[in-house]
Amino acid sequence: MSFLGHRRILVVTAVEPERQAVLRGLDLAGVTAENGADSTIVVEVGGVGTAAAAATTARVLALGRFDAVLSAGVGGGIGVPVGGAAIATASVAADLGADSPEGFLGLDELGFGSATVAADPGLLAALTAALPDAAVGPVLTVSTVTGTLAGTRDLLARHPDAVAEAMEGFGVATAAAQVGVAFGELRTISNAVGPRDRAAWRIGDALEGLSKAIACLAELTP
Ligand SMILES: O=C(O)c1cccc(C(=O)CC[C@H]2O[C@@H](n3cnc4c(=O)[nH]cnc43)[C@H](O)[C@@H]2O)c1
């Protein structure tokens, strides 16, 4: 059996409710995920933020049992409605750099490497085929959730094609790239990126969307 065209896939979520949503989706499709030695799919909680996500991903990938990793969870939508899905063409560390009177200077401009990790083309193709209604574009990874109009405008000016914002993708991607494992990112939308309105977040809708998306992925897999 395979999942998304891969023999052994690791799914990394930030928090346990996201892991449970992924497991419900697999269950809906009749796929069993266990954190055991023989599983096709293993779902791990990595923690919130890039450091925890990268460390967890690196630790689990070091077992050498995986040929793909998917960063999955809820996220802020950029032109994508609550409950909808966003698939990353790349994960971008959008606030990794330096501020300056002239504006933000990213990692690339500073000469310290790249703030972008592209999704694996095969994994991206499998995700978009299974989820034809999902938005497809760069998914931004931030350390601080965007919460002001000025911050939103700055971010969108720098990343006009971005479809979502979350806090882990770049960390998972960096760990995957270092060991040559295929990487992808899937987000379902809990809130719009914009001025902070925590009461408007719909985590439940996004988790339900995540379960449905994962079920679609599993059903499409031969
Ligand atoms: O209420 C808050 O201020 C708050 C601050 C930090 C994190 C949270 C979470 O709920 C973390 C869970 C998870 O959610 C992802 N997420 C969801 N929406 C966004 C967003 O608009 N921008 C960035 N990340 C978002 C993120 O990946 C976290 O892991 C709440």
Side-chain angles (χ1 to χ4, degrees), residues 124-162:
L124 176 59
L127 287 164
T128 53
L131 301 170
D133 295 336
V136 182
V139 171
L140 309 180
T141 302
V142 293
S143 295
T144 302
V145 175
T146 301
T148 65
L149 192 55
T152 307
R153 284 183 176 148
D154 272 5
L155 192 71
L156 299 189
R158 296 203 306 273
H159 303 285
D161 301 333

Side-chain angles (χ1 to χ4, degrees), residues 14-15 18 47-49 74-77 142 144-146 165-168 187 190-193 196 198 201 203:
V15 294
E18 293 172 329
V48 172
V74 306
V142 293
T144 302
V145 175
T146 301
E165 171 188 288
M167 302 175 80
E168 295 80 24
R187 294 283 159 184
S190 53
N191 58 284
V193 171
R196 180 175 171 79
R198 187 65 175 83
W201 284 37
I203 299 282

Side-chain angles (χ1 to χ4, degrees), residues 79 86 92 217:
V92 183
L217 301 181

